Amino acid sequence: MKNLIIISVTCLASFSMVACNNTNKSASNSSKDSTGTNSAGTSNPAKSGLDSKTTAAVKEMVGNYLDLKNALAKDNSTDAATSGKALSEGFMKFDQSALTSTQKKSFTDIADDAKEMAEHIGMSAGKLPHQREHFDMLSKDMIDFVKLFSAGQGLYVDHCPMYNNNKGADWISETKDIKNPYLGTKMPTCGSVKEELK
């Protein structure tokens, strides 16, 4: 009986590692937008013509998001809260005066939810699971945010297949190396690059 339990645990651990490190080919091939063109290869008209003040604000907000992601990857709930507050404030003070009407509408759609998610993370120091739940929703908005404005740097959309009972979740990273914010130090390299944002 003891041997059967040990074999079962070993098999489960092996399956988890294979599932985690398996590259999701269908996800990497699905980095196409609704028009069917590859999002990394097309030029987005919304990205052009941003003034230096708006560009600096976008870069700062993306920086706060990346700080938040890195804090969660290290299981550092306090630093995650600090970055969440900074990101929430960034959305509140974002000057939309230089945006086109299309950009304003898209920004408003993104900012309404993203600000709330970042705010929740900021108020939840010491509650890593709760912060990660909101980070999942925040990341969806931040991916749209970066696609709308660009971040002035190469970024990657990464995917963790195991988070949320194997439903999976995405996040933005500044490196190709996987540093998983959802599973943290328990499984830091779980996931794969899904898409490159330029």
Side-chain angles (χ1 to χ4, degrees):
M1 185 67 174
K2 225 183 219 185
N3 289 340
L4 182 60
I5 292 171
I6 292 170
I7 291 170
S8 297
V9 170
T10 305
C11 287
L12 180 60
S14 298
F15 174 74
S16 294
M17 293 306 291
V18 169
C20 191
N21 291 323
N22 187 12
T23 54
N24 187 343
K25 291 179 183 174
S26 63
S28 64
N29 291 335
S30 67
S31 64
K32 295 185 178 182
D33 62 18
S34 59
T35 62
T37 57
N38 188 309
S39 59
T42 59
S43 62
N44 185 343
K47 292 180 185 178
S48 61
L50 293 179
D51 65 358
S52 59
K53 184 179 174 184
T54 305
T55 301
V58 168
K59 191 167 186 168
E60 181 181 351
M61 290 167 70
V62 170
N64 287 327
Y65 170 87
L66 294 173
D67 289 343
L68 168 56
K69 180 266 299 182
N70 290 326
L72 291 175
K74 294 174 186 171
D75 297 335
N76 189 329
S77 180
T78 304
D79 285 355
T82 301
S83 298
K85 286 177 188 173
L87 183 56
S88 176
E89 289 169 10
F91 276 108
M92 285 190 286
K93 67 181 184 181
F94 191 86
D95 183 2
Q96 300 181 50
S97 62
L99 303 183
T100 66
S101 59
T102 303
Q103 288 171 328
K104 283 181 185 176
K105 183 183 181 325
S106 296
F107 174 77
T108 302
D109 290 343
I110 293 166
D112 287 346
D113 289 335
K115 183 181 75 66
E116 185 180 340
M117 295 306 115
E119 199 170 44
H120 276 287
I121 293 167
M123 296 186 300
S124 301
K127 301 175 185 173
L128 270 172
H130 186 68
Q131 288 177 315
R132 286 177 169 138
E133 285 174 27
H134 288 287
F135 182 75
D136 179 9
M137 294 178 274
L138 172 64
S139 292
K140 293 171 187 169
D141 290 319
M142 287 303 293
I143 291 167
D144 290 340
F145 180 77
V146 170
K147 287 182 177 182
L148 177 65
F149 294 121
S150 183
Q153 68 184 94
L155 296 171
Y156 304 90
V157 177
D158 293 343
H159 180 74
C160 171
M162 297 182 72
Y163 180 69
N164 194 14
N165 295 318
N166 296 323
K167 291 178 184 170
D170 296 338
W171 75 93
I172 298 173
S173 179
E174 70 279 25
T175 67
K176 280 188 176 179
D177 295 334
I178 300 296
K179 294 178 182 174
N180 192 313
Y182 297 109
L183 303 179
T185 57
K186 289 180 184 172
M187 295 185 80
T189 60
C190 178
S192 60
V193 175
K194 181 177 173 182
E195 181 180 357
E196 186 173 354
L197 303 173
K198 294 182 180 181

